[in-house]
Amino acid sequence: MDDRLTSILRSYSHGEISAERAADEMGATYNVADVYVLSREAGLPLPDPDGPFERAQFERAKRLFAGVPGSSQRSEKQA
């Protein structure tokens, strides 16, 4: 793995960029799954699930799903 990829993965691991952005920066042949796998292969931890970046992503996802018909019923059943 070259230094450029390692640097991108390190930014992802530190929660500085999303997995989607990391995949975009890595190149057209990479996807989010590659980001996860290559991060682990590089010995880098996945971002802190309780960090501010992840909380912001979760809040964004909640807002996106708020307008989806039936989404509140699904989340109530899962709770």
Side-chain angles (χ1 to χ4, degrees):
M1 182 176 323
D2 66 30
D3 290 340
R4 185 182 72 79
L5 288 181
T6 303
S7 176
I8 294 167
L9 294 170
R10 191 172 291 115
S11 293
Y12 166 68
S13 177
H14 292 148
E16 297 165 1
I17 61 174
S18 68
E20 293 86 0
R21 181 168 165 199
D24 288 344
E25 290 184 14
M26 290 166 64
T29 61
Y30 293 94
N31 61 44
V32 171
D34 295 321
V35 173
Y36 301 146
V37 171
L38 292 173
S39 293
R40 301 308 273 172
E41 287 180 2
L44 297 168
L46 297 178
D48 176 7
D50 295 324
F53 176 80
E54 289 71 28
R55 280 192 296 275
Q57 292 292 316
F58 179 70
E59 291 303 319
R60 180 175 182 269
K62 283 192 336 189
R63 285 192 305 274
L64 291 172
F65 282 107
V68 176
S71 63
S72 62
Q73 293 172 351
R74 283 192 293 271
S75 34
E76 289 171 6
K77 289 178 185 177
Q78 292 175 357

